[in-house]
Amino acid sequence: MISSNLLAIFYLISGVLFILALRGLSSPETSRQGNLYGIIGMALAISVTILSVGNFSLGFLYLIIFLLIGGSIGAFIAFKIPMTAMPELVAGFHSLVGLAAVFVAISAFLNPEIFNLGTPGNIKVASLIEMSLGAAIGAITFTGSIIAFLKLRGIMSGSPITFFGQHYLNLFLGISLLALISYLCIKQIDTLFWAIIIISLLVGVLLIIPIGGADMPVVISMLNSYSGWAAAGIGFTLENTALIITGALVGSSGAILSYIMCKGMNRSFFNVILGGWGGNDETSSSSVQKEKKPVKNGNADDAAFLMKNASSVIIVPGYGMAVAQAQHALREMVDALKKNGVKVSYAIHPVAGRMPGHMNVLLAEANVPYDEVFELDEINNDFANCDVAYVIGANDVTNPIAKSDPQSPIYGMPVLDVEKSKSVLFVKRSLSPGYAGIDNDLFYRDNTLMLFADAKKMTEEIVKSL
């Protein structure tokens, strides 16, 4: 059996590797190295934990069996899952992290002697607070992540679900949780602990149902943060250094990412988390405009002619590109344009797709050079001097209505200034609204040519025309 001091050292090393992993994942150039650090850190933490169990026993056998089962399921899903389903996969996995925290907290509460926390009815107060908070946050993460999964998967409506007095009910339940945790520390009654878990499960549902589709990327990030804090709380209960470090890293990085995304969408962080944003607005002026103005239809030959005779082209990828798996065809098109002396660059919105970095990963998969990919702040001023903007599957992030219609649910959200380009080629299957549920005013601009087709098929046809 490995000594406690050596165990702490190995957990500390794995924590350092997780920090290096986060640092590496912050940039596409170093993301593979960051992934490698994370894999090594997790492998080390798991190996050390197995060694800490001691001699072969029934518990050791259970640990190995469930590790193999869980690892096999995770590997199978990772190989099979398409990039388009990554957001709901992340939400689903977050729910499992939350549930694990709840199960560990229940185990620690019912069998405190095993964890050196005291005896039933006489558990250390600090440990009670830690396990109660870990269980509460884990339960909120579990049910909240399930709701997010259902919304992203389309099983549940992406529109906000609200009712009278909803925020007051959430406030009452939040205060009730704090009161129950305080009372549990005094009385240590089993019923109080179960009540904390049940109320937390309900809070998780109530917090996520009023959040609309446009803000689901922020929700995923926040649930990631919740799962981290739940793990950290349980880490303190178990006095496990690896859990504390990893949980704190995940919790803090998820919260920071959520804040950055809210800033990128011009959202109030607390408004998004407390619900109500992102709904469809039937009175939006863009809906009226859809009835009044026709659109210009084009084909692959038109698009090829415009781009071949352009001096600069900016590509704006979105979720439609991911669905069609058009990134490789897009790379072929760009290569053909470069041979004709056309300057090409890519514009990425912070929330393009359904997760941060979604488009970057897809473009990297097609071996697009990193120095050709620019974030919104870096490239937005270039659209005014651009000959052609090729929008492939992006919608809400290019909608000019965000700058002009106060009634729109995306009003104030920074968008790519695509409409300032001399010509806009917009690849889309139909005029259907984006994930925010609103019509795109860009469809009806005089300089926009709509290319109604599957993103991959249209791009391949353009390549042939070029």
Side-chain angles (χ1 to χ4, degrees):
M1 182 176 178
I2 193 169
S3 68
S4 58
N5 289 337
L6 197 57
L7 183 68
I9 291 173
F10 280 124
Y11 279 155
L12 183 60
I13 293 172
S14 66
V16 172
L17 288 169
F18 291 144
I19 294 172
L20 292 173
L22 280 179
R23 180 180 176 85
L25 291 169
S26 65
S27 171
E29 292 93 334
T30 58
S31 59
R32 289 182 183 274
Q33 187 181 48
N35 250 330
L36 182 60
Y37 283 137
I39 291 169
I40 295 172
M42 184 56 69
L44 178 63
I46 292 174
S47 301
V48 171
T49 302
I50 292 174
L51 291 174
S52 68
V53 173
N55 298 324
F56 183 84
S57 62
L58 190 60
F60 183 88
L61 182 62
Y62 283 148
L63 178 63
I64 298 298
I65 290 173
F66 288 118
L67 182 65
L68 291 174
I69 293 173
S72 300
I73 293 172
F76 177 79
I77 292 174
F79 278 114
K80 292 293 184 180
I81 197 76
M83 273 300 299
T84 49
M86 195 59 69
E88 51 258 49
L89 174 69
V90 173
F93 280 175
H94 286 165
S95 70
L96 298 179
V97 176
L99 188 61
V102 173
F103 283 157
V104 174
I106 292 173
S107 178
F109 182 77
L110 297 179
N111 302 283
E113 309 101 318
I114 298 175
F115 301 97
N116 298 317
L117 305 177
T119 57
N122 190 30
I123 301 173
K124 300 173 187 175
V125 174
S127 299
L128 265 180
I129 295 172
E130 291 159 3
M131 72 175 69
S132 298
L133 288 175
I137 298 172
I140 291 171
T141 304
F142 174 64
T143 50
S145 297
I146 289 177
I147 298 299
F149 173 85
L150 295 175
K151 286 198 170 195
L152 288 167
R153 197 68 179 172
I155 299 172
M156 177 184 288
S157 171
S159 301
I161 301 173
T162 57
F163 55 85
F164 179 75
Q166 189 169 31
H167 293 305
Y168 292 108
L169 176 60
N170 289 342
L171 179 62
F172 171 74
L173 291 175
I175 294 173
S176 299
L177 277 176
L178 294 176
L180 284 171
I181 292 173
S182 300
Y183 197 52
L184 177 66
C185 293
I186 299 172
K187 294 294 183 180
Q188 299 199 20
I189 302 172
D190 290 8
T191 309
L192 295 174
F193 185 73
W194 294 114
I196 290 170
I197 294 176
I198 292 170
I199 292 175
S200 299
L201 291 171
L202 178 60
V203 170
V205 174
L206 293 175
L207 281 179
I208 306 303
I209 58 172
I211 300 177
D215 293 319
M216 287 312 292
V218 183
V219 173
I220 295 298
S221 181
M222 267 314 299
L223 290 170
N224 180 36
S225 178
Y226 290 164
S227 67
W229 297 125
I234 296 302
F236 280 108
T237 301
L238 303 181
E239 296 182 352
N240 187 301
T241 310
L243 265 180
I244 296 171
I245 294 174
T246 308
L249 282 173
V250 173
S252 56
S253 61
I256 292 169
L257 178 59
S258 300
Y259 173 77
I260 292 171
M261 291 173 68
C262 283
K263 188 177 179 181
M265 298 168 69
N266 195 35
R267 291 287 195 256
S268 163
F269 182 79
F270 291 104
N271 277 340
V272 170
I273 300 308
L274 295 177
W277 284 89
N280 299 347
D281 195 322
E282 299 298 333
T283 62
S284 175
S285 62
S286 61
S287 299
V288 177
Q289 199 168 22
K290 181 178 178 180
E291 298 174 4
K292 292 182 178 179
K293 297 185 68 175
V295 297
K296 295 179 182 178
N297 292 345
N299 55 39
D301 291 333
D302 299 326
F305 177 81
L306 283 172
M307 287 194 281
K308 189 173 183 179
N309 290 282
S311 60
S312 64
V313 173
I314 298 179
I315 311 290
V316 182
Y319 187 66
M321 184 192 78
V323 172
Q325 289 291 291
Q327 62 270 27
H328 297 286
L330 184 64
R331 172 66 193 273
E332 287 183 46
M333 187 189 81
V334 170
D335 289 342
L337 289 172
K338 288 179 180 178
K339 289 178 182 178
N340 284 285
V342 181
K343 178 187 176 184
V344 184
S345 51
Y346 298 80
I348 307 293
H349 192 280
V351 292
R354 292 189 182 177
M355 283 183 69
H358 199 171
M359 296 300 105
N360 301 76
V361 172
L362 288 174
L363 294 177
E365 185 184 340
N367 296 316
V368 172
Y370 298 131
D371 58 359
E372 294 178 6
V373 181
F374 299 92
E375 300 296 328
L376 180 144
D377 294 335
E378 300 173 316
I379 200 170
N380 229 12
N381 292 331
D382 295 345
F383 282 104
N385 302 314
C386 169
D387 292 316
V388 179
Y390 185 74
V391 184
I392 177 168
N395 200 332
D396 297 325
V397 298
T398 63
N399 197 341
I401 216 75
K403 297 176 283 187
S404 60
D405 185 4
Q407 301 302 317
S408 171
I410 63 169
Y411 179 69
M413 170 181 166
V415 293
L416 293 162
D417 295 332
V418 175
E419 76 281 0
K420 293 182 180 179
S421 303
K422 293 177 184 177
S423 297
V424 178
L425 299 173
F426 208 119
V427 184
K428 205 171 185 299
R429 290 178 181 270
S430 67
L431 290 175
S432 60
Y435 201 58
I438 58 172
D439 198 31
N440 193 340
D441 186 58
L442 185 61
F443 298 161
Y444 315 103
R445 296 294 176 100
D446 292 334
N447 62 333
T448 299
L449 191 67
M450 297 298 297
L451 306 174
F452 293 112
D454 173 81
K456 183 179 180 181
K457 184 178 179 182
M458 174 56 70
T459 307
E460 287 173 344
E461 289 178 359
I462 293 173
V463 173
K464 291 177 182 178
S465 298
L466 286 171

